[in-house]
Amino acid sequence: MKDVIVRAEKISKIYKLPGEQIAAVKDIDLDIYAGDFISIMGPSGSGKTTLLDLIGCLTSATGGRLTVMGRDVSGAGESCLVKVRRQFLGFVFQDFLLIPSLTVVENVLLSLYFSRQHQDKKRAINVLNLVGLGQRLNHLPAQLSGGEKQRVAIARAIITNPKLLLADEPTGNLDSRASQEVFDLFKQLNEKEGLAVVVVTHNPELGNQAGRVIKLKDGRLAA
Amino acid sequence: MNAITIGFKNLTRKKIRTTLTVAGIALAVAVLVSLLGFDAGYQKSLSGDIDKLGYHLLVTAKGCPYEAATLILKGGGGLRYMEENIFKRIASDPRVDKITPQLMNSVYNQEGAGGKGAFAMYVGIEHSYLELKPWLKFRWGGWFSGSAADEVIMGYEAAEVEQRKPGDKVFVPGVSKVLTVKGVLKRSGTQDDGVIFLPLATAQNIFELPGKLTGVGVKLKDIGQIADFEESLYNEPGIQVVSLAEVRGTILNLVASARAMAGSVALIAIFVALIGVTNTILVSVFERTREIGVMKALGASSFDVFKIVWSETVIVCALGGLAGVILAISGSGLTAKVIRGMLPYAPQGELVLIKGEFVWMALLAAIVVGLIAGTYPAWRASRMKPVEAIRAGE
Amino acid sequence: MKTIRLSFSFIFSVVSLFFCAAAVYAAVGCQLNDPDRDVKKIFPESTGYKSDFVSIKEIGGGGLYQKIEAALGDKFDPVYEAMDVPYSFYKVLKGRETIGYVHGVNQKGVFGGMQLIISTDLAGKIINFYYQKMSSPEAAKFMDKDFTGKFNGLALTDFLKGNIGISDPSKESGEDFRYTLRGVKKNLILLHELELKDNVLGSVKK
């Protein structure tokens, strides 16, 4: 029986705006197990990113129940959510969002600093070698290609040994070759390192390479 | 990686912006340090100047001294004088340690300064003048050969300008008198360097002021008796008494008023710099909204973010403080020159004296300003919600 | 007890009485009192000037010092005409072009120091001479343009060959007249040796 990393029970996210309410995510049930490779797909506005934000504890659900590694984080405040993110989760974003003034290795060490782990430079170099960037340690992000930047972001996300890697449109700004390289890396991390990966994408060619595909429509799970 | 290194690296992203912000702080700190230095230097130099007058009290003829000063500066006559017998009465007071009479006269030379006209200061003295000022030493020559000799002793600078040595002649225009140089003094660093001294009797004779004096310098045996001594002279007709300690105090009070005004300017400069720093860092925080969101996604707490942004302001202010201190120290000569040109009276000596404690005070002030200035931007950054920050601008 | 009040004007006046002597004497060395005004007055067509401050010590040291003394025909005063005295030369400009020079020297006189200012063309020929400072009972006669104007057109070679042709304007100040000639000669020698560097002294010897 595989460990449950994230269990979402009828979680919802409703945004209250003047004069209206927008339900970005409605009553979604979802279990993510250790070793899963899941892609979340759907048209624009279907709630993919919001669902990822909820799973990733970047925001709180307005309805339902969410547990991460057995901890109930429903309605938790930011100070609680940040601890959960630190301990169990890693993030990769479409725009890479590396710190421009830090080198490749410094961007990776930053992750260790925030998660209160020892800033072991050798460990950072090993991870960068794993993602194929051992030759770029002292480069600044501006000196890297899009694909290379994304691999730094992945290294930054996995160096803290998270249980779950969450990637929001990680190939959105990459060409097809680089996109496939990134997906291959996800697969490698999933198969060889046992890391659970959840990827939001609207590219079916890539999304269908995942072990499980979840489709959303209008904030709900599609049939 | 720590908050300070991350903050420092963030500052290097916008080098021009950071440099300008640092420069603003540096300027404010330089003004503050220079002001403190001027205060210390002026007090020390003024005290030195007044000490080097040699006497505690100055007795002068009663009248409008402003008019007297104007007349003296423009040349010669019309000045009020006191009679010599006053000097004799004061000299007989048992409280007096040393006393020296003087007759000061300036002579206007129409041919001076290329025909534009210039004046020279002549002071008739007795040997007691040197006794009251033991630091006056002769470079060449010595004291007058007689109490009414047609001789002069020249201050160091006066002799240098006129290229005089003992035995040379000096022509006094206005009275068309030729005198012989008997001695030249060594540089004393006081006003005496620019004066031409002559025997009191000679001065009284050539300026046609027999038995007249412009002042009497008095040194008491006990400085604590100044007030009583002044009191006892209050009813003496035709004279007024100036305690040079009071002169020092009054000038320092006047300078303190000017200093307070300049201090206000310095405080305003610091306040403006503080606002500048706050604004710069706040803009930088808004520019980095998505990065701050990512940092929170990576596990940064609100306090982590607060520390990073706060460090940036402290670094900027510390660098600005250091630059300002260096600017103040290296520019102290120029500052002194400018102040000397602006003040109607500036004492000799170092006008801007920057002490070690001023440096530490200024650096500390800069850091405190940084801590204050950085509080709001750091708080704003720390309050950002991760998902809103990350998605901003998408 | 009665207190003696000191008003600001009283204090200022007393202080200025006793401290103003420092303002009488400016820095030693013969610089123009007001270079902007003085240069423009002598060279109305000028647009600016460049100041040079040079000493004999910097340019040629002891050897040059002796050479100048020999040309002057008189010993330098070791105190007031030392090797490291800085001399100010004003290179007069019209746009970028140099159109002349102004130079002043201190010269001991009978009754006080003289400051002799000469202005020359590019070859060093005098086009203007005046006393910036002079102490003498007959100062007015020396400073008169009738006398100073006689120096116009003279060059260093005239002084070296003794072809001056100017007579003493004073009745009883012959020594100051001789000092004046010495001072102007010194002025020209320094101009040629320190600023123009055209070896006029060498060419005259030949």
Side-chain angles (χ1 to χ4, degrees):
Chain A
M1 183 70 174
K2 284 199 271 186
D3 292 332
V4 174
I5 297 173
V6 173
R7 170 156 286 158
E9 295 170 85
K10 301 233 176 307
I11 55 166
S12 303
K13 181 72 177 178
I14 296 171
Y15 293 103
K16 287 183 185 162
L17 297 174
E20 62 174 329
Q21 286 187 350
I22 295 174
V25 164
K26 298 170 218 171
D27 297 328
I28 289 185
D29 294 309
L30 175 63
D31 286 346
I32 301 171
Y33 297 94
D36 273 357
F37 187 174
I38 299 170
S39 67
I40 302 176
M41 293 201 285
S44 280
S46 58
K48 311 187 290 295
T49 297
T50 307
L51 178 60
L52 197 80
D53 291 341
L54 287 168
I55 296 167
C57 298
L58 289 173
T59 189
S60 304
T62 47
R65 191 163 176 262
L66 182 72
T67 55
V68 178
M69 294 301 291
R71 287 171 175 72
D72 187 347
V73 296
S74 315
E78 172 58 22
S79 54
C80 174
L81 295 177
V82 72
K83 286 177 187 162
V84 171
R85 292 198 297 268
R86 222 182 254 165
Q87 222 174 337
F88 304 121
L89 306 173
F91 295 87
V92 173
F93 299 98
Q94 179 176 348
D95 291 335
F96 327 121
L97 297 181
L98 301 177
I99 308 298
S101 51
L102 301 180
T103 60
V104 163
V105 72
E106 285 169 345
N107 264 286
V108 175
L109 288 171
L110 193 67
S111 214
L112 292 173
Y113 168 63
F114 289 136
S115 60
R116 314 293 192 253
Q117 294 181 35
H118 170 60
Q119 294 181 53
D120 185 348
K121 198 170 178 187
K122 275 191 193 155
R123 185 172 155 195
I125 293 170
N126 287 342
V127 170
L128 284 163
N129 281 328
L130 183 66
V131 303
L133 280 176
Q135 311 306 316
R136 293 271 198 261
L137 298 177
N138 295 316
H139 282 66
L140 291 171
Q143 296 166 310
L144 305 177
S145 69
E148 287 170 336
K149 283 182 203 169
Q150 198 60 290
R151 282 191 267 158
V152 175
I154 294 169
R156 181 180 68 182
I158 63 172
I159 192 166
T160 53
N161 291 326
K163 299 293 181 199
L164 175 61
L165 177 66
L166 297 156
D168 184 11
E169 303 275 10
T171 59
N173 286 339
L174 302 178
D175 60 34
S176 51
R177 204 189 105 199
S179 298
Q180 188 55 57
E181 282 172 5
V182 164
F183 243 75
D184 288 343
L185 187 51
F186 286 152
K187 279 192 267 185
Q188 182 189 335
L189 291 168
N190 175 251
E191 286 161 13
K192 292 197 176 144
E193 310 294 326
L195 178 64
V197 178
V198 174
V199 178
V200 164
T201 178
H202 59 255
N203 183 336
E205 253 185 66
L206 293 171
N208 290 332
Q209 294 177 38
R212 186 161 41 129
V213 177
I214 293 170
K215 289 189 179 164
L216 295 187
K217 189 181 176 186
D218 295 330
R220 293 181 193 276
L221 289 169
Chain B
M1 292 280 102
N2 55 51
I4 292 175
T5 52
I6 297 167
F8 185 80
K9 289 205 176 233
N10 277 333
L11 289 170
T12 60
R13 281 159 70 168
K14 302 271 185 187
K15 290 188 174 67
I16 293 176
R17 182 197 290 172
T18 302
T19 304
L20 288 173
T21 309
V22 167
I25 298 276
L27 212 58
V29 168
V31 166
L32 179 68
V33 172
S34 297
L35 196 65
L36 292 170
F38 165 65
D39 183 49
Y42 193 92
Q43 280 198 44
K44 191 177 172 195
S45 303
L46 179 67
S47 298
D49 266 13
I50 288 183
D51 287 343
K52 284 216 161 168
L53 280 176
Y55 21 85
H56 297 142
L57 295 155
L58 190 62
V59 181
T60 68
K62 200 169 243 175
C64 172
Y66 186 68
E67 182 195 341
T70 311
L71 288 167
I72 281 230
L73 291 172
K74 295 296 179 194
L79 191 68
R80 300 219 189 186
Y81 302 97
M82 29 187 248
E83 299 296 326
E84 248 178 341
N85 55 16
I86 296 171
F87 160 72
K88 288 170 187 159
R89 277 206 292 282
I90 298 172
S92 65
D93 190 308
R95 292 171 288 188
V96 170
D97 178 20
K98 291 187 169 76
I99 182 168
T100 189
Q102 301 167 38
L103 176 65
M104 184 186 297
N105 205 61
S106 73
V107 179
Y108 188 73
N109 178 12
Q110 182 56 53
E111 264 66 52
K116 296 284 171 197
F119 60 88
M121 188 69 66
Y122 295 83
V123 180
I125 57 173
E126 291 184 349
H127 196 265
S128 49
Y129 192 87
L130 294 189
E131 290 162 25
L132 263 167
K133 302 188 179 204
W135 50 83
L136 289 179
K137 304 284 181 204
F138 282 95
R139 186 183 185 189
W140 300 307
W143 188 250
F144 306 116
S145 55
S147 60
D150 283 347
E151 293 168 346
V152 295
I153 290 170
M154 299 187 82
Y156 179 90
E157 282 171 14
E160 204 163 26
V161 169
E162 300 294 349
Q163 301 205 352
R164 301 293 90 184
K165 286 180 182 170
D168 288 338
K169 303 285 180 202
V170 165
F171 176 70
V172 185
V175 295
S176 295
K177 183 80 181 172
V178 175
L179 303 169
T180 305
V181 177
K182 189 66 173 60
V184 174
L185 295 170
K186 283 185 182 174
R187 193 192 288 276
S188 67
T190 69
Q191 295 70 30
D192 291 332
D193 288 342
V195 173
I196 301 172
F197 299 98
L198 41 161
L200 178 62
T202 307
Q204 288 170 331
N205 182 33
I206 68 173
F207 297 126
E208 294 176 2
L209 296 164
K212 301 283 189 227
L213 301 171
T214 50
V216 175
V218 179
K219 188 176 177 206
L220 299 178
K221 289 171 183 163
D222 176 4
I223 198 170
Q225 291 186 309
I226 284 182
D228 286 338
F229 190 78
E230 277 185 85
E231 186 73 25
S232 62
L233 287 177
Y234 190 74
N235 291 321
E236 184 75 48
I239 61 166
Q240 49 203 353
V241 182
V242 179
S243 153
L244 291 166
E246 281 181 51
V247 169
R248 171 173 30 211
T250 304
I251 292 179
L252 288 177
N253 283 341
L254 293 169
V255 172
S257 313
R259 195 176 69 236
M261 263 176 38
S264 312
V265 171
L267 280 175
I268 290 169
I270 288 168
F271 189 64
V272 168
L274 189 153
I275 291 174
V277 169
T278 303
N279 184 56
T280 299
I281 301 295
L282 202 57
V283 164
S284 163
V285 160
F286 290 146
E287 286 174 350
R288 288 180 290 157
T289 299
R290 299 190 76 198
E291 276 171 45
I292 291 169
V294 156
M295 284 198 264
K296 289 201 161 187
L298 292 175
S301 65
S302 295
F303 188 54
D304 286 333
V305 173
F306 185 94
K307 270 193 303 186
I308 289 169
V309 176
W310 218 29
S311 299
E312 288 173 26
T313 45
V314 172
I315 290 168
V316 159
C317 290
L319 286 175
L322 192 61
V325 160
I326 292 171
L327 185 65
I329 292 173
S330 58
S332 62
L334 180 64
T335 308
K337 201 172 170 185
V338 167
I339 292 173
R340 209 175 275 284
M342 282 164 49
L343 288 177
Y345 160 66
Q348 311 270 21
E350 217 177 332
L351 210 54
V352 177
L353 184 66
I354 296 175
K355 297 182 187 174
E357 61 237 43
F358 301 155
V359 171
W360 296 119
M361 274 167 61
L363 288 172
L364 190 65
I367 289 169
V368 166
V369 164
L371 291 170
I372 296 169
T375 302
Y376 178 67
W379 180 81
R380 279 297 295 263
S382 71
R383 303 310 303 160
M384 284 183 184
K385 295 195 168 114
V387 75
E388 286 170 18
I390 290 166
R391 308 293 171 208
E394 271 187 350
Chain C
M1 190 201 289
K2 289 174 193 167
T3 52
I4 297 165
R5 294 218 179 103
L6 300 171
S7 67
F8 166 70
S9 58
F10 179 82
I11 296 300
F12 174 72
S13 311
V14 169
V15 161
S16 60
L17 271 175
F18 286 89
F19 293 162
C20 65
V24 174
Y25 291 100
V28 180
C30 188
Q31 299 179 39
L32 293 176
N33 285 335
D34 185 344
D36 293 340
R37 178 201 65 195
D38 296 338
V39 168
K40 192 70 181 173
K41 203 170 160 189
I42 303 164
F43 292 88
E45 72 279 27
S46 66
T47 55
Y49 61 89
K50 194 169 162 271
S51 320
D52 249 337
F53 300 94
V54 193
S55 70
I56 297 172
K57 190 175 180 181
E58 283 165 27
I59 300 296
L64 180 61
Y65 192 73
Q66 285 167 5
K67 180 184 173 189
I68 294 172
E69 265 187 332
L72 190 59
D74 189 21
K75 284 281 177 200
F76 276 142
D77 184 298
V79 175
Y80 295 127
E81 292 176 317
M83 208 172 14
D84 56 1
V85 166
Y87 294 100
S88 339
F89 296 94
Y90 300 89
K91 193 185 281 188
V92 184
L93 304 169
K94 185 180 176 187
R96 287 189 180 177
E97 195 194 332
T98 305
I99 58 173
Y101 297 91
V102 180
H103 176 226
V105 294
N106 287 320
Q107 167 62 52
K108 179 183 166 134
V110 174
F111 299 104
M114 297 183 210
Q115 291 183 343
L116 308 167
I117 312 291
I118 62 164
S119 306
T120 72
D121 63 14
L122 296 178
K125 189 159 74 178
I126 296 174
I127 60 172
N128 182 280
F129 160 60
Y130 69 96
Y131 294 84
Q132 183 168 265
K133 180 182 170 305
M134 172 134 201
S135 303
S136 166
E138 297 187 88
K141 289 178 186 163
F142 286 97
M143 296 175 96
D144 195 287
K145 285 198 167 87
D146 283 343
F147 173 65
T148 58
K150 292 193 169 92
F151 286 82
N152 293 354
L154 292 178
L156 177 57
T157 44
D158 298 316
F159 281 83
L160 293 171
K161 289 174 183 170
N163 299 339
I164 308 299
I166 299 174
S167 51
D168 183 355
S170 70
K171 284 185 182 162
E172 294 166 349
S173 302
E175 222 175 323
D176 270 338
F177 172 66
R178 283 187 289 284
Y179 278 136
T180 297
L181 295 183
R182 181 190 186 275
V184 174
K185 186 178 179 184
K186 179 173 90 169
N187 194 322
L188 287 166
I189 294 172
L190 291 168
L191 176 68
H192 282 278
E193 288 298 312
L194 301 188
E195 182 68 16
L196 300 179
K197 296 179 187 161
D198 53 9
N199 198 26
V200 167
L201 294 182
S203 63
V204 169
K205 272 187 184 169
K206 287 170 191 169

